[in-house]
Amino acid sequence: MGNLYYGDNLEILRNEIASESVDLIYLDPPFNSNANYNVLFKAPDGHESHAQMEAFEDTWHWNETAERAFDEVIQSGNSDAAEMLRAMRSFLGTNDMMAYLTMMAVRLLELHRVLKPTGSLYLHCDPTASHYLKILLDAIFGKEFFENEIVWLRTNSHNMRTRTWVRQNDTILYYTKTARFTFNAQYTEYGEAQLGRFKPDEDGRLYKAENLTFSTANPARQFVWRGSVPPKNRSWGADKEQLEKWYSEGRILLKRDGSPRLDGLKVYLDETKGKLCGTNWTDISRVGNTSGERLGYPTQKPLALLERIINASSNEGDIVLDPFCGCGTNVHAAQ
């Protein structure tokens, strides 16, 4: 596609984006933080443009537009979304937060429509409304398709003064359209402590010992193998054929009696991709004041953050959609 649209993303989604045409959606919507963002876009040579543009007014009020959006969700045909939004209105009343959630709900319905069955959605938010947004997503996507909550440590606490805990992280809510979604595992570099777990074998290759069992009581994987058996609450992490293959390759550490150690799978450093990336992202720094990426956009996200999401949940040639766009980091990362 390679298209940029200017205008209300709700109308563009409805009029321009076909159903089940998008592989990955990342959205970083306004957080209802009651802030007006005025952005100075810089020219390619780094000089600030004289044309100042108000990117969006991050304030939402209950008015006729919100009431109309609420009615559209109620009449959308998604009974779970309608029931949830109605319950939220009963609890919150017709205030600014409710206006924000209604605005998001009507757009999330469209985003669910345009997502392919193999697609994923990542919604970037903060504690202001993340709990309400998750409930909405549960209703629209189905709670069984909530895959994970990613916590991004976006800043440290240096020089921050507050009467309570310093707020350091954002939340990224990760949902899929169905159970057959695209996902490519991501890896980070080992830290010094993790590298210290590796030691040389008789040939000088660095390895670490990993557990051969999983913390799941699967009767089909609780057989006796070469004199060893998992505890009652655990199971072998592979079938007998795979265990025998590792044994024949010399990848199993043995006890003195010759039976396999339950923690005896040899994993070689030169065969690993690094540490498997989890849901606590502490290795990606925010776009600092002196960063070469910095464009002057107040909520700009780092390129590495978007690259990780795109690499994990899409493949080359897939369609990536960012309905709020911001300063275009997602577009840049996808390209």
Side-chain angles (χ1 to χ4, degrees), residues 4-295:
L4 283 172
Y5 297 91
Y6 177 77
D8 184 341
N9 59 11
L10 180 60
E11 297 307 314
I12 291 166
L13 285 166
R14 288 172 170 172
N15 299 326
E16 303 290 341
I17 312 298
S19 297
E20 298 189 350
S21 63
V22 175
D23 296 281
L24 170 62
I25 297 170
Y26 169 84
L27 61 157
D28 182 15
F31 289 174
N32 193 36
S33 57
N34 294 315
N36 290 331
Y37 293 125
N38 294 298
V39 183
L40 281 172
F41 290 93
K42 294 184 178 179
D45 62 3
H47 288 91
E48 292 183 345
S49 169
H50 292 293
Q52 184 169 326
M53 173 182 177
E54 185 175 278
F56 54 79
E57 182 182 320
D58 191 359
T59 307
W60 309 96
H61 305 291
W62 192 266
N63 51 29
E64 291 183 4
T65 302
E67 191 71 60
R68 185 166 58 251
F70 180 86
D71 290 341
E72 289 177 2
V73 175
I74 299 303
Q75 300 168 20
S76 67
N78 187 319
S79 58
D80 288 342
E83 183 178 351
M84 188 60 68
L85 200 66
R86 191 181 287 114
M88 286 181 165
R89 181 171 180 172
S90 177
F91 174 68
L92 294 170
T94 52
N95 55 18
D96 292 352
M97 177 60 78
M98 190 62 213
Y100 173 76
L101 295 170
T102 300
M103 179 279 290
M104 288 300 302
V106 73
R107 286 161 174 80
L108 288 171
L109 284 168
E110 292 299 322
L111 293 175
H112 184 266
R113 175 186 63 81
V114 305
L115 197 61
K116 290 181 181 179
T118 53
S120 300
L121 176 141
Y122 290 78
L123 193 160
H124 196 133
C125 50
D126 74 359
T128 308
S130 59
H131 46 307
Y132 296 125
L133 291 170
K134 185 182 184 303
I135 293 173
L136 278 178
L137 285 165
D138 281 350
I140 294 169
F141 279 75
K143 60 182 182 297
E144 67 272 26
F145 297 119
F146 166 66
E147 299 298 335
N148 242 316
E149 177 183 274
I150 296 163
V151 177
W152 173 45
L153 182 67
R154 60 177 173 79
T155 185
N156 54 39
S157 57
H158 295 320
N159 301 322
M160 292 185 180
R161 295 183 181 275
T162 176
R163 295 179 61 189
T164 182
W165 303 109
V166 175
R167 182 179 296 177
Q168 296 175 299
N169 66 276
D170 282 353
T171 295
I172 303 173
L173 301 172
Y174 167 39
Y175 283 76
T176 58
K177 182 78 171 275
T178 68
R180 48 189 188 88
F181 54 90
T182 298
F183 188 79
N184 308 303
Q186 299 297 297
Y187 298 85
T188 59
E189 293 183 0
Y190 286 120
E192 189 173 330
Q194 293 161 329
L195 286 173
R197 293 182 58 198
F198 290 88
K199 56 185 178 181
D201 65 6
E202 58 275 9
D203 298 319
R205 289 182 71 189
L206 293 175
Y207 77 94
K208 64 177 178 177
E210 290 287 1
N211 208 312
L212 279 164
T213 66
F214 285 164
S215 58
T216 302
N218 180 357
R221 292 277 182 90
Q222 290 179 319
F223 50 83
V224 178
W225 177 62
R226 291 185 174 270
S228 292
V229 61
K232 291 182 178 180
N233 63 335
R234 299 184 71 87
S235 311
W236 292 113
D239 57 30
K240 187 171 291 187
E241 182 180 0
Q242 181 62 65
L243 292 171
E244 285 292 340
K245 183 175 185 295
W246 285 332
Y247 187 89
S248 66
E249 294 171 347
R251 291 177 177 264
I252 304 297
L253 298 172
L254 305 177
K255 302 176 187 176
R256 289 183 180 180
D257 63 3
S259 61
R261 280 173 40 183
L262 296 182
D263 63 344
L265 177 62
K266 294 173 73 173
V267 177
Y268 288 99
L269 178 60
D270 57 18
E271 293 179 348
T272 65
K273 297 179 180 179
K275 179 186 175 185
L276 191 64
C277 190
T279 56
N280 292 327
W281 294 2
T282 61
D283 59 321
I284 299 176
S285 300
R286 68 183 179 91
V287 181
N289 293 332
T290 59
S291 172
E293 292 183 33
R294 188 170 181 81
L295 300 174

Side-chain angles (χ1 to χ4, degrees), residues 152 172 186 277 281 283-287 293 300-312 329-330 332-333:
W152 173 45
I172 303 173
Q186 299 297 297
C277 190
W281 294 2
D283 59 321
I284 299 176
S285 300
R286 68 183 179 91
V287 181
E293 292 183 33
Q300 182 179 349
K301 302 303 183 293
L303 185 62
L305 185 78
L306 278 303
E307 287 177 337
R308 178 170 292 172
I309 291 171
I310 290 170
N311 286 329
T329 304
N330 195 32
H332 180 189

